[in-house]
Amino acid sequence: MRSTRRFRWAAIPAAAALAFVLAGCTQAQLNGYLPGHIEGAPPATNQTDRITGLWVTSWTVLLVVGLVAWGLTIWVMVVYRRRKGQTGLPVQLRYNMPIEIFYTVIPLILVIGFFSFSARDSYEIETRFDNPDVTIHLLAKQWAWDFNYVNEDVYSPGIQAQPIDTGPQGSIDEALLPTLYLPVNKSVEIILDSRDVVHSFWVPDFLYKKDVLPGKTNYMSIIPEREGTFMGKCAELCGEYHSLMLFDVKVVSQAEYDAHIASLRAAGYVGQLGVEFDRNTNLPGVTAPDASEK
Ligand SMILES: [Cu+2]
Protein backbone atom coordinates (compact mmCIF):
# COMPACT_ATOMS: atom_id res chain seq x y z
CA MET A 1 0.00 0.00 0.00
CA ARG A 2 2.71 2.39 1.05
CA SER A 3 4.95 1.68 -1.97
CA THR A 4 2.14 2.00 -4.54
CA ARG A 5 1.21 5.40 -3.15
CA ARG A 6 4.80 6.51 -3.45
CA PHE A 7 4.90 5.28 -7.00
CA ARG A 8 1.73 7.22 -7.80
CA TRP A 9 3.31 10.51 -6.69
CA ALA A 10 6.48 9.81 -8.61
CA ALA A 11 4.38 9.37 -11.72
CA ILE A 12 3.33 13.03 -11.73
CA PRO A 13 6.70 14.59 -12.69
CA ALA A 14 7.36 11.69 -15.04
CA ALA A 15 4.05 12.28 -16.80
CA ALA A 16 4.72 16.02 -16.97
CA ALA A 17 8.11 15.40 -18.59
CA LEU A 18 6.59 12.96 -21.04
CA ALA A 19 3.82 15.42 -21.97
CA PHE A 20 6.43 18.09 -22.60
CA VAL A 21 8.42 15.84 -24.92
CA LEU A 22 5.36 14.52 -26.74
CA ALA A 23 4.00 18.03 -27.29
CA GLY A 24 6.69 18.40 -29.95
CA CYS A 25 8.80 21.43 -30.63
CA THR A 26 8.25 24.35 -32.97
CA GLN A 27 11.05 25.57 -35.22
CA ALA A 28 11.57 28.59 -32.93
CA GLN A 29 12.03 26.27 -29.95
CA LEU A 30 14.40 23.99 -31.84
CA ASN A 31 16.35 27.15 -32.64
CA GLY A 32 16.36 28.15 -28.97
CA TYR A 33 14.46 31.38 -29.78
CA LEU A 34 17.67 32.82 -31.19
CA PRO A 35 17.44 35.52 -33.89
CA GLY A 36 18.68 35.27 -37.45
CA HIS A 37 17.31 31.89 -38.44
CA ILE A 38 15.21 31.77 -41.60
CA GLU A 39 13.53 28.46 -42.43
CA GLY A 40 14.90 27.01 -45.67
CA ALA A 41 17.57 29.69 -46.07
CA PRO A 42 21.30 29.32 -45.42
CA PRO A 43 22.53 30.22 -41.92
CA ALA A 44 23.66 33.81 -41.39
CA THR A 45 27.29 32.77 -40.94
CA ASN A 46 29.34 29.58 -40.83
CA GLN A 47 29.20 29.79 -37.01
CA THR A 48 25.52 30.26 -36.27
CA ASP A 49 24.55 26.56 -36.45
CA ARG A 50 27.35 25.68 -34.03
CA ILE A 51 26.31 28.41 -31.59
CA THR A 52 22.64 27.46 -31.84
CA GLY A 53 23.54 23.80 -31.21
CA LEU A 54 25.52 24.64 -28.08
CA TRP A 55 22.76 26.88 -26.75
CA VAL A 56 19.85 24.52 -27.44
CA THR A 57 21.68 21.44 -26.12
CA SER A 58 22.66 23.35 -22.96
CA TRP A 59 19.19 24.56 -22.10
CA THR A 60 17.61 21.21 -22.95
CA VAL A 61 19.98 19.42 -20.56
CA LEU A 62 19.36 22.07 -17.90
CA LEU A 63 15.60 21.78 -18.37
CA VAL A 64 15.80 18.01 -17.80
CA VAL A 65 17.92 18.61 -14.67
CA GLY A 66 15.32 21.14 -13.53
CA LEU A 67 12.43 18.77 -14.13
CA VAL A 68 14.15 15.99 -12.15
CA ALA A 69 15.04 18.39 -9.32
CA TRP A 70 11.57 19.97 -9.16
CA GLY A 71 9.95 16.53 -9.45
CA LEU A 72 11.99 15.07 -6.58
CA THR A 73 11.39 18.16 -4.45
CA ILE A 74 7.63 18.01 -4.88
CA TRP A 75 7.63 14.24 -4.43
CA VAL A 76 9.51 14.51 -1.11
CA MET A 77 7.22 17.29 0.12
CA VAL A 78 4.12 15.25 -0.61
CA VAL A 79 5.22 11.75 0.39
CA TYR A 80 6.98 12.78 3.61
CA ARG A 81 4.49 15.44 4.68
CA ARG A 82 3.38 15.49 8.30
CA ARG A 83 0.27 13.40 8.62
CA LYS A 84 -2.60 13.76 11.04
CA GLY A 85 -1.67 12.79 14.56
CA GLN A 86 2.08 12.71 13.92
CA THR A 87 4.26 14.40 16.51
CA GLY A 88 7.95 15.00 17.03
CA LEU A 89 10.68 14.75 14.41
CA PRO A 90 10.62 12.05 11.73
CA VAL A 91 13.49 9.58 11.50
CA GLN A 92 16.65 11.57 10.73
CA LEU A 93 18.83 10.29 7.88
CA ARG A 94 22.49 11.13 7.44
CA TYR A 95 25.53 9.89 5.56
CA ASN A 96 23.65 8.21 2.75
CA MET A 97 26.58 7.23 0.55
CA PRO A 98 24.69 6.46 -2.70
CA ILE A 99 22.87 9.80 -2.56
CA GLU A 100 26.05 11.72 -1.77
CA ILE A 101 27.90 10.07 -4.65
CA PHE A 102 24.92 10.81 -6.92
CA TYR A 103 24.78 14.53 -6.15
CA THR A 104 28.54 14.88 -6.44
CA VAL A 105 29.15 12.90 -9.61
CA ILE A 106 26.20 14.12 -11.71
CA PRO A 107 26.95 17.87 -11.30
CA LEU A 108 30.63 17.12 -11.93
CA ILE A 109 29.74 15.39 -15.21
CA LEU A 110 27.48 18.33 -16.15
CA VAL A 111 30.13 20.95 -15.40
CA ILE A 112 32.83 19.04 -17.29
CA GLY A 113 30.41 18.53 -20.20
CA PHE A 114 29.37 22.19 -20.41
CA PHE A 115 32.97 23.31 -20.13
CA SER A 116 34.34 20.99 -22.78
CA PHE A 117 31.63 21.72 -25.37
CA SER A 118 31.94 25.48 -24.74
CA ALA A 119 35.73 25.30 -24.98
CA ARG A 120 35.56 23.26 -28.19
CA ASP A 121 33.11 25.68 -29.84
CA SER A 122 34.85 28.86 -28.75
CA TYR A 123 38.13 27.41 -30.04
CA GLU A 124 36.50 26.78 -33.44
CA ILE A 125 34.94 30.24 -33.49
CA GLU A 126 38.09 32.05 -32.41
CA THR A 127 40.47 30.28 -34.80
CA ARG A 128 41.69 32.83 -37.35
CA PHE A 129 41.83 32.09 -41.08
CA ASP A 130 45.32 31.61 -42.52
CA ASN A 131 44.50 33.57 -45.66
CA PRO A 132 41.13 35.33 -45.39
CA ASP A 133 39.53 36.36 -48.69
CA VAL A 134 38.54 39.71 -47.23
CA THR A 135 40.20 41.73 -44.48
CA ILE A 136 38.35 44.55 -42.79
CA HIS A 137 40.04 46.88 -40.34
CA LEU A 138 37.30 48.25 -38.16
CA LEU A 139 37.79 51.26 -35.91
CA ALA A 140 35.13 51.94 -33.30
CA LYS A 141 34.77 55.47 -31.98
CA GLN A 142 32.32 57.45 -29.90
CA TRP A 143 29.78 56.93 -31.51
CA ALA A 144 30.21 55.31 -34.88
CA TRP A 145 32.36 52.95 -36.92
CA ASP A 146 35.03 53.42 -39.56
CA PHE A 147 35.48 50.51 -41.96
CA ASN A 148 38.76 50.03 -43.84
CA TYR A 149 38.66 47.58 -46.73
CA VAL A 150 42.28 46.50 -46.39
CA ASN A 151 42.72 44.44 -49.59
CA GLU A 152 41.13 47.09 -51.80
CA ASP A 153 42.70 50.06 -49.95
CA VAL A 154 39.47 52.01 -49.64
CA TYR A 155 37.56 53.07 -46.57
CA SER A 156 34.11 54.03 -45.42
CA PRO A 157 33.94 56.70 -42.70
CA GLY A 158 30.99 56.42 -40.31
CA ILE A 159 28.79 58.85 -38.44
CA GLN A 160 26.45 58.09 -35.58
CA ALA A 161 22.78 57.37 -36.31
CA GLN A 162 20.80 60.47 -37.18
CA PRO A 163 17.39 60.71 -35.51
CA ILE A 164 14.57 61.88 -37.77
CA ASP A 165 11.34 63.55 -36.71
CA THR A 166 9.09 61.75 -39.17
CA GLY A 167 8.02 58.25 -38.25
CA PRO A 168 7.62 56.70 -34.81
CA GLN A 169 9.63 58.02 -31.91
CA GLY A 170 13.19 56.83 -32.06
CA SER A 171 13.30 56.62 -35.87
CA ILE A 172 16.70 57.06 -37.48
CA ASP A 173 17.85 57.73 -41.00
CA GLU A 174 18.79 54.26 -42.27
CA ALA A 175 20.54 55.63 -45.35
CA LEU A 176 23.14 57.45 -43.25
CA LEU A 177 24.12 54.47 -41.07
CA PRO A 178 27.69 53.20 -41.30
CA THR A 179 27.42 50.14 -43.52
CA LEU A 180 29.89 47.32 -43.85
CA TYR A 181 29.67 45.40 -47.12
CA LEU A 182 30.80 41.77 -47.15
CA PRO A 183 30.78 39.33 -50.07
CA VAL A 184 28.76 36.17 -49.44
CA ASN A 185 30.55 32.84 -48.86
CA LYS A 186 33.97 34.45 -48.53
CA SER A 187 36.19 34.10 -45.47
CA VAL A 188 36.32 37.43 -43.68
CA GLU A 189 38.66 38.62 -40.98
CA ILE A 190 37.57 41.71 -39.10
CA ILE A 191 40.36 43.44 -37.18
CA LEU A 192 38.81 45.41 -34.34
CA ASP A 193 40.42 48.50 -32.80
CA SER A 194 39.01 51.32 -30.73
CA ARG A 195 39.85 54.99 -31.06
CA ASP A 196 38.77 55.86 -27.52
CA VAL A 197 36.83 53.69 -25.06
CA VAL A 198 35.53 50.11 -24.89
CA HIS A 199 32.89 49.31 -27.51
CA SER A 200 31.47 46.01 -28.67
CA PHE A 201 30.82 44.93 -32.25
CA TRP A 202 27.50 43.09 -32.26
CA VAL A 203 25.43 41.77 -35.13
CA PRO A 204 22.62 39.95 -33.31
CA ASP A 205 21.85 37.64 -36.26
CA PHE A 206 25.49 36.45 -36.28
CA LEU A 207 24.96 35.26 -32.66
CA TYR A 208 28.32 36.63 -31.63
CA LYS A 209 29.74 39.86 -30.33
CA LYS A 210 33.24 41.01 -29.75
CA ASP A 211 34.60 43.74 -27.53
CA VAL A 212 36.54 46.52 -29.22
CA LEU A 213 39.20 47.69 -26.80
CA PRO A 214 41.57 50.65 -26.84
CA GLY A 215 45.16 49.44 -26.90
CA LYS A 216 44.29 45.86 -27.79
CA THR A 217 43.44 44.41 -31.19
CA ASN A 218 40.72 41.79 -31.41
CA TYR A 219 39.83 39.60 -34.36
CA MET A 220 36.64 38.10 -35.69
CA SER A 221 36.69 35.36 -38.34
CA ILE A 222 33.46 34.57 -40.16
CA ILE A 223 32.07 33.39 -43.46
CA PRO A 224 28.73 35.15 -44.12
CA GLU A 225 26.51 32.59 -45.84
CA ARG A 226 23.24 34.43 -46.43
CA GLU A 227 22.76 37.60 -48.41
CA GLY A 228 20.81 40.37 -46.77
CA THR A 229 21.01 43.38 -44.50
CA PHE A 230 21.90 42.65 -40.89
CA MET A 231 21.42 45.24 -38.18
CA GLY A 232 24.33 45.87 -35.85
CA LYS A 233 24.93 47.93 -32.76
CA CYS A 234 27.48 48.73 -30.11
CA ALA A 235 26.90 46.36 -27.18
CA GLU A 236 29.04 48.09 -24.58
CA LEU A 237 27.78 51.23 -22.85
CA CYS A 238 30.28 53.72 -24.22
CA GLY A 239 28.95 57.16 -23.40
CA GLU A 240 26.21 59.64 -24.09
CA TYR A 241 25.22 58.52 -27.60
CA HIS A 242 25.91 54.81 -27.18
CA SER A 243 22.35 54.07 -28.29
CA LEU A 244 23.03 55.79 -31.62
CA MET A 245 26.15 53.73 -32.31
CA LEU A 246 24.36 51.66 -34.92
CA PHE A 247 25.46 50.14 -38.20
CA ASP A 248 24.39 47.74 -40.92
CA VAL A 249 26.19 44.79 -42.42
CA LYS A 250 25.18 44.11 -46.01
CA VAL A 251 26.09 40.64 -47.21
CA VAL A 252 26.02 40.78 -50.99
CA SER A 253 27.20 38.96 -54.13
CA GLN A 254 30.79 39.42 -55.23
CA ALA A 255 29.60 41.66 -58.09
CA GLU A 256 27.67 43.95 -55.74
CA TYR A 257 30.64 44.00 -53.39
CA ASP A 258 32.97 45.01 -56.20
CA ALA A 259 30.52 47.72 -57.28
CA HIS A 260 30.40 49.10 -53.74
CA ILE A 261 34.20 49.16 -53.52
CA ALA A 262 34.29 50.97 -56.86
CA SER A 263 31.75 53.53 -55.61
CA LEU A 264 33.88 54.20 -52.50
CA ARG A 265 36.91 54.66 -54.72
CA ALA A 266 34.97 56.98 -57.03
CA ALA A 267 33.87 59.01 -54.01
CA GLY A 268 37.51 59.53 -53.12
CA TYR A 269 37.61 57.28 -50.07
CA VAL A 270 41.01 55.88 -51.09
CA GLY A 271 43.54 54.74 -48.50
CA GLN A 272 43.00 53.72 -44.90
CA LEU A 273 41.65 55.63 -41.92
CA GLY A 274 44.38 54.95 -39.42
CA VAL A 275 45.18 55.60 -35.83
CA GLU A 276 45.91 59.26 -36.57
CA PHE A 277 42.26 59.93 -35.84
CA ASP A 278 42.34 58.18 -32.47
CA ARG A 279 41.27 60.39 -29.62
CA ASN A 280 43.09 58.22 -27.17
CA THR A 281 46.79 59.06 -27.30
CA ASN A 282 47.61 57.62 -23.91
CA LEU A 283 47.60 53.92 -24.67
CA PRO A 284 49.39 51.45 -22.43
CA GLY A 285 53.14 51.75 -22.85
CA VAL A 286 56.27 53.14 -21.27
CA THR A 287 56.43 56.48 -23.08
CA ALA A 288 54.34 59.56 -22.42
CA PRO A 289 52.23 60.93 -25.28
CA ASP A 290 54.25 63.16 -27.58
CA ALA A 291 52.42 66.22 -28.90
CA SER A 292 54.80 66.52 -31.85
CA GLU A 293 53.59 63.15 -33.19
CA LYS A 294 50.05 64.39 -33.64
CU1 LIG B 1 30.20 52.04 -28.39
Side-chain angles (χ1 to χ4, degrees):
M1 171 63 198
R2 174 92 188 155
S3 65
T4 50
R5 186 192 285 179
R6 247 184 234 189
F7 180 77
R8 185 149 35 101
W9 284 112
I12 291 174
L18 196 65
F20 177 81
V21 172
L22 292 178
C25 295
T26 66
Q27 195 55 45
Q29 285 164 339
L30 289 174
N31 198 41
Y33 297 101
L34 292 175
H37 179 85
I38 296 178
E39 199 46 32
T45 77
N46 61 320
Q47 296 171 351
T48 48
D49 281 351
R50 174 186 299 282
I51 296 166
T52 305
L54 181 67
W55 165 241
V56 173
T57 311
S58 299
W59 72 252
T60 306
V61 168
L62 290 172
L63 189 64
V64 170
V65 170
L67 286 173
V68 170
W70 297 322
L72 286 174
T73 306
I74 293 167
W75 178 70
V76 163
M77 286 163 63
V78 171
V79 171
Y80 296 102
R81 70 191 183 281
R82 183 183 287 271
R83 289 180 168 76
K84 235 179 214 161
Q86 278 183 335
T87 52
L89 290 172
V91 181
Q92 299 295 294
L93 279 179
R94 59 186 72 169
Y95 307 124
N96 185 311
M97 205 41 95
I99 289 180
E100 289 186 25
I101 290 172
F102 173 80
Y103 71 57
T104 307
V105 169
I106 300 291
L108 202 64
I109 291 172
L110 285 170
V111 168
I112 291 171
F114 283 123
F115 173 79
S116 49
F117 285 115
S118 303
R120 180 199 66 184
D121 286 353
S122 45
Y123 175 80
E124 294 292 336
I125 290 166
E126 290 297 318
T127 302
R128 293 171 62 188
F129 298 119
D130 290 331
N131 288 302
D133 297 319
V134 177
T135 303
I136 304 293
H137 184 206
L138 173 156
L139 289 139
K141 59 190 182 184
Q142 287 172 317
W143 290 274
W145 313 80
D146 294 331
F147 302 119
N148 287 308
Y149 297 85
V150 176
N151 311 31
E152 297 85 358
D153 198 38
V154 297
Y155 65 89
S156 154
I159 57 169
Q160 71 193 54
Q162 301 296 305
I164 43 176
D165 292 335
T166 54
Q169 196 191 5
S171 296
I172 47 123
D173 191 338
E174 291 275 344
L176 294 178
L177 284 184
T179 302
L180 173 64
Y181 279 68
L182 296 176
V184 70
N185 290 327
K186 294 286 162 70
S187 57
V188 177
E189 174 164 86
I190 305 176
I191 304 167
L192 305 120
D193 280 318
S194 170
R195 297 195 183 284
D196 37 48
V197 300
V198 179
H199 304 276
S200 185
F201 180 77
W202 186 30
V203 181
D205 284 359
F206 290 179
L207 306 183
Y208 207 65
K209 63 167 85 120
K210 182 130 268 180
D211 278 0
V212 191
L213 307 166
K216 182 186 189 307
T217 301
N218 273 341
Y219 301 90
M220 205 164 159
S221 306
I222 54 165
I223 301 174
E225 295 187 347
R226 190 173 78 230
E227 292 186 27
T229 300
F230 300 86
M231 290 188 298
K233 58 175 75 178
C234 178
E236 188 68 64
L237 180 60
C238 59
E240 190 175 1
Y241 294 104
H242 163 69
S243 64
L244 294 179
M245 197 166 162
L246 308 175
F247 62 95
D248 277 337
V249 174
K250 279 190 195 292
V251 177
V252 295
S253 66
Q254 183 68 47
E256 287 171 89
Y257 178 76
D258 294 339
H260 180 69
I261 296 294
S263 75
L264 289 174
R265 190 165 281 127
Y269 296 133
V270 178
Q272 303 283 283
L273 288 177
V275 294
E276 66 274 18
F277 298 107
D278 285 13
R279 204 188 70 214
N280 195 348
T281 55
N282 203 9
L283 293 172
V286 292
T287 52
D290 183 353
S292 68
E293 285 176 7
K294 286 300 278 184

